[in-house]
Amino acid sequence: MRVLLTGGTGYIGSHTAVALIDAGHQVTLLDNFANSKPTVLDRLSEITGVTMDFFEADVTDREAIDSVLAHRAFDAAIHFAAPKAVGESIARPLHYFNNGVGGTVTLLQAMDRRGIRNVVYSSSATVYGMSDELPFREDAPTEVINPYGRTKLMCEEILRDLRQSDERWNSIALRYFNPVGAHPSGLIGEDPQGVPANLMPFVAQVAVGRLPVLRIFGDDYPTPDGTGVRDYIHVMDLAEGHVAAVEHLATEPGHDVINLGTGNGISVLELVEAFERVAGVPIPTEVVGRRRGDGPASWADATKAGDVLGWTARRSLDEMVADAWRWQSQNPNGYPD
Ligand code: UD1
């Protein structure tokens, strides 16, 4: 298949590009480098042996998207491009609605004009909100707790409505749990701007000496060791989930919503312990108060992805940590400019 990846140089987009090429597909990447660097493209070529077909464009730019679609034929798009920081979404909601929702509508309109009506959408387990009915199943009630979460839920609903209005549209919204790790080459990985907000890149930066200490946000949760529990999933498993989804769209029409997680909950302390053991470096920690907006626990019911897509996560926590560490130790300051 010929697949357009918006946000193709980002963390999940870049790993999905590798997985698609490994599976024999052709990819075109599109990105505005708002949260990624051009050197990702060289790294992708090094891993795959394929020169990346790339367009620098913003998904909110109608003319630019039209031009990309006029220059290439696509069977499907995987739409990653969107900002994704919870705190920033509360500070700048209009930026999130313009890029997250407006960008999606602009892309879908451009695809519609070209008759490309297969799309995989990058959603998030954040749409389950703070519910304690675990594990999260796709038919659980959704709850919006911040503008970022609203952009994800709104785009899922747009895709559902689109299918109801026009049966030529096929879509799968993938609800990611907590993607971590990196490609085993250590050439691509997660490269957050500034101080990482998420646990694994923070731990990796403490391990490499860029940050002094991990602050653990609360050890008084109703969880086995008191720290927050999440469903960490290896980014290459997640990437392969996208391959399964885009291939599924080609043969099975419709709209669906599918979790991508392992189905296992891991606590902050368990992740830190695995990192220290696998990387062989101490991670200094300090327990501080809970972070606003955090729930105690989140993990997926991952059965639907197995039933519908024939996909299950297969990489262990130790592999997630080993690959995150390889990436971080080989690239202590992330991608070069
Ligand atoms: C966060 C976002 C979520 C988003 C997801 C993926 C919030 C409140 N939620 O989820 O909407 O979809 O990232 O980008 O921002 N932790 C620490 N110290 C740290 C960082 C994290 O103890 O320095 C703990 C957290 O309290 C949590 C766990 O580690 O228990 C995982 O945190 P994180 O990686 O930020 O992911 P989520 O909170 O699940």
Side-chain angles (χ1 to χ4, degrees), residues 84 86 124 126 146 148 177-179 196-200 202 214-217 221 227-230 232 268 291-296:
K84 58 151 198 171
V86 172
S124 166
T126 192
N146 51 58
Y148 162 69
F177 280 71
N178 291 62
N198 296 120
L199 180 64
M200 184 71 100
F202 201 108
L214 169 72
R215 292 181 309 145
I216 296 177
F217 298 143
Y221 282 110
T227 65
V229 168
R230 298 290 184 274
Y232 298 97
V268 175
R291 179 171 65 181
R292 240 180 102 205
D294 273 358

Side-chain angles (χ1 to χ4, degrees), residues 24-45:
H25 300 293
Q26 288 172 36
V27 300
T28 295
L29 312 189
L30 182 154
D31 211 300
N32 64 356
F33 296 126
N35 194 23
S36 61
K37 292 197 180 140
T39 42
V40 175
L41 296 165
D42 303 326
R43 300 288 182 90
L44 287 173
S45 297

Side-chain angles (χ1 to χ4, degrees), residues 75-93:
D75 301 302
I78 307 183
H79 180 38
F80 298 102
K84 58 151 198 171
V86 172
E88 187 192 38
S89 82
I90 296 166
R92 303 177 65 198

